[in-house]
């Protein structure tokens, strides 16, 4: 089935191409990886460069989502080389999209911008509106996690309109969640909740289990911070976690655990928060995910401070975290550290003024 033949309103994974085009958006990553490697080897034996590029893309994405970043890095580059040999501009764009997404995951934001920008240009040149849209979405998400809401807010809205017009449910869900996250981070909780709920319902209708899991996490966050509803938030996260485990979504699972820790922390359940932040931290470190690692370290430091840690140790930890987040370029996450220092009564940190801003949580 080609992308053009797929029914509107149902989620599909355009990164599963060629011999892997029959895979579902809900296929477990272990299944995608096994079938992808098998088909990639067959294409290599046959010397079919275009198929090597297409299968290699799925392999790269499976590795990336499993947190196997070195394997993912090698796979997307191999896919790009095969696509270039086949003179397949669309496949080259998809490989660059995968590489740019991996770069963002690894905290290399300047590289992410460069690769995703190239992917968008190449997608337009090759007439592949889907990879162009995914690449622009990647640029928007990179800006959003940095906190540049003014710069990327309009792009999110534009991509949402395009996704709805083309009936791309998965991309519609992504855009709704991104816009919801920006509203949540700027304190517009009612609007954020409405958008997360719309994303969850859209994902449910489209049978996009991954998208629904992320949306449930967003709903849990808002009902926790706005309403203090710990029981509902934890129930939503438990539902999302079951999907993450079934589909082997390592990164999504780690972010789910970090949000569970956030819920415990907000409720004053500091021992539970400490335990769950530590769990998320280990998961992020295992997959070499610097943003999640830093945010989990921050939560753990706050929990330890609430449990009686020496304030001087907390200052050292927070100052180190702030330098790390400055180096990555996550401005709003950096501001979370300043806010934590004030909240815990150990600020301002060395070289930092009193001003803080609302911060990102995803």
């Amino acid at each position: 089935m080609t992308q053009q033949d797929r029914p509107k309103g149902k989620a599909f994974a355009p990164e599963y191409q060629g011999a892997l085009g029959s895979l579902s958006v809900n296929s477990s990553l272990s299944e995608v990886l096994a079938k992808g490697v098998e088909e990639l080897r067959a294409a290599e034996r046959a010397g079919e460069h275009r198929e090597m590029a297409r299968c290699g893309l799925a392999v790269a994405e499976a590795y990336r989502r499993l947190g196997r970043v070195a394997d993912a890095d090698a796979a997307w580059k191999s896919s790009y080389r095969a696509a270039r040999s086949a003179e397949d501009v669309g496949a080259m764009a998809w490989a660059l999209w995968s590489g740019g997404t991996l770069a963002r995951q690894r905290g290399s934001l300047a590289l992410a911008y460069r690769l995703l920008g190239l992917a968008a240009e190449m997608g337009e040149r090759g007439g592949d509106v889907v990879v162009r849209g995914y690449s622009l979405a990647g640029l928007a998400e990179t800006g959003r996690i940095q906190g540049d809401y003014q710069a990327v807010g309009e792009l999110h809205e534009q991509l949402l309109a395009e996704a709805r017009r083309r009936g791309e449910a998965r991309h519609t869900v992504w855009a709704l969640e991104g816009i919801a996250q920006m509203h949540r981070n700027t304190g517009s909780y009612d609007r954020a909740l409405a958008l997360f709920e719309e994303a969850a319902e859209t994902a449910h209708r489209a049978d996009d289990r991954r998208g629904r899991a992320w949306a449930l996490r967003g709903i849990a966050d808002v009902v926790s911070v706005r309403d203090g509803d710990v029981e509902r938030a934890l129930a939503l996260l438990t539902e999302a976690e079951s999907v993450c485990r079934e589909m082997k979504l390592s990164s999504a699972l780690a972010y789910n655990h970090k949000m569970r820790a956030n819920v415990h922390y907000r409720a004053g359940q500091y021992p539970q928060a400490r335990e769950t932040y530590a769990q998320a931290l280990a998961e992020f470190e295992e997959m070499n995910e610097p943003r999640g690692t830093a945010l989990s370290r921050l939560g753990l430091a706050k929990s330890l401070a609430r449990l009686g840690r020496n304030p001087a140790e907390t200052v050292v930890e927070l100052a180190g975290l702030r330098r790390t987040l400055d180096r990555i370029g996550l401005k709003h996450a950096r501001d979370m550290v300043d806010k934590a220092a004030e909240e815990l009564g150990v600020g301002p940190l060395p070289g930092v003024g009193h001003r803080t801003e609302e911060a990102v949580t995803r």
Side-chain angles (χ1 to χ4, degrees):
M1 179 183 293
T2 66
Q3 293 174 8
Q4 290 75 20
D5 295 332
R6 296 180 186 274
K8 285 192 173 186
K10 287 296 180 182
F12 69 98
E15 67 271 31
Y16 301 157
Q17 302 172 10
L20 304 177
S22 62
L23 288 175
S24 164
V25 68
N26 297 320
S27 297
S28 74
L29 294 179
S30 54
E31 176 190 355
V32 173
L33 183 58
K35 185 171 177 58
V37 169
E38 178 187 352
E39 296 293 347
L40 176 58
R41 298 294 172 257
E44 289 172 342
R45 288 192 297 270
E48 297 176 355
H49 291 284
R50 181 173 281 104
E51 190 65 14
M52 287 165 58
R54 304 291 181 176
C55 295
L57 172 66
V59 170
E61 282 300 285
Y63 279 137
R64 181 182 68 79
R65 290 164 178 161
L66 287 166
R68 295 171 58 175
V69 294
D71 290 327
D73 191 51
W76 84 258
K77 290 174 179 175
S78 179
S79 174
Y80 180 82
R81 288 192 297 269
R84 186 174 57 191
S85 296
E87 299 182 347
D88 187 331
V89 176
M92 290 167 68
W94 276 111
L96 289 167
W97 165 78
S98 180
T101 306
L102 176 65
R104 182 178 65 243
Q105 182 173 316
R106 299 173 77 174
S108 302
L109 301 186
L111 178 60
Y113 277 121
R114 185 162 67 86
L115 293 176
L116 290 165
L118 288 170
E121 292 174 14
M122 200 163 285
E124 185 168 11
R125 193 164 77 232
D128 189 329
V129 296
V130 179
V131 71
R132 176 185 171 276
Y134 270 61
S135 300
L136 289 174
L139 289 169
E141 184 160 351
T142 304
R144 178 172 58 77
I145 68 169
Q146 284 189 287
D148 293 335
Y149 298 163
Q150 186 173 0
V152 300
E154 186 176 337
L155 181 54
H156 273 77
E157 295 283 359
Q158 173 192 331
L159 293 168
L160 173 59
E162 289 182 6
R164 281 176 160 157
R165 185 173 64 252
R166 294 200 299 265
E168 292 178 8
R170 186 181 179 208
H171 228 203
T172 298
V173 169
W174 167 86
L176 286 168
E177 290 173 354
I179 297 166
Q181 192 67 43
M182 288 187 282
H183 280 294
R184 179 262 179 262
N185 292 343
T186 52
S188 300
Y189 298 132
D190 293 348
R191 181 61 178 151
L193 182 59
L195 288 167
F196 277 129
E197 288 177 337
E198 182 181 353
E201 178 59 29
T202 302
H204 176 70
R205 290 197 307 269
D207 194 25
D208 176 6
R209 300 184 68 206
R210 180 189 294 121
R212 179 170 167 78
W214 277 110
L216 291 176
R217 178 184 175 278
I219 295 171
D221 182 27
V222 177
V223 300
S224 165
V225 73
R226 186 192 70 170
D227 306 330
D229 193 337
V230 177
E231 185 176 346
R232 185 184 176 205
L234 293 178
L236 288 164
L237 290 169
T238 297
E239 181 182 349
E241 179 172 348
S242 67
V243 174
C244 295
R245 290 191 180 282
E246 185 175 338
M247 295 181 64
K248 305 293 191 292
L249 303 175
S250 303
S251 180
L253 181 61
Y255 274 104
N256 181 290
H257 289 155
K258 187 187 74 67
M259 183 57 67
R260 182 177 290 273
N262 288 354
V263 172
H264 285 306
Y265 182 86
R266 291 168 190 152
Q269 300 169 353
Y270 301 125
Q272 298 95 319
R274 175 186 58 190
E275 179 181 342
T276 315
Y277 278 128
Q279 178 185 5
L281 176 59
E283 292 167 339
F284 283 123
E285 287 180 332
E286 184 178 358
M287 67 181 77
N288 190 26
E289 214 278 36
R291 178 168 167 264
T293 296
L295 293 174
S296 297
R297 280 180 60 199
L298 174 59
L300 183 57
K302 290 169 62 178
S303 300
L304 290 171
R306 294 295 190 185
L307 291 168
R309 188 188 198 184
N310 187 317
E313 295 179 10
T314 299
V315 169
V316 170
E317 177 79 9
L318 293 181
L321 269 173
R322 195 180 194 282
R323 288 192 296 272
T324 296
L325 292 165
D326 262 338
R327 186 171 63 250
I328 297 173
L330 300 177
K331 293 176 291 188
H332 274 53
R334 174 202 64 199
D335 292 336
M336 287 180 73
V337 178
D338 299 341
K339 188 175 181 180
E342 291 188 2
E343 173 191 326
L344 298 171
V346 298
L349 298 172
V352 177
H354 289 275
R355 181 176 177 272
T356 61
E357 298 174 16
E358 194 67 31
V360 294
T361 58
R362 173 176 176 178

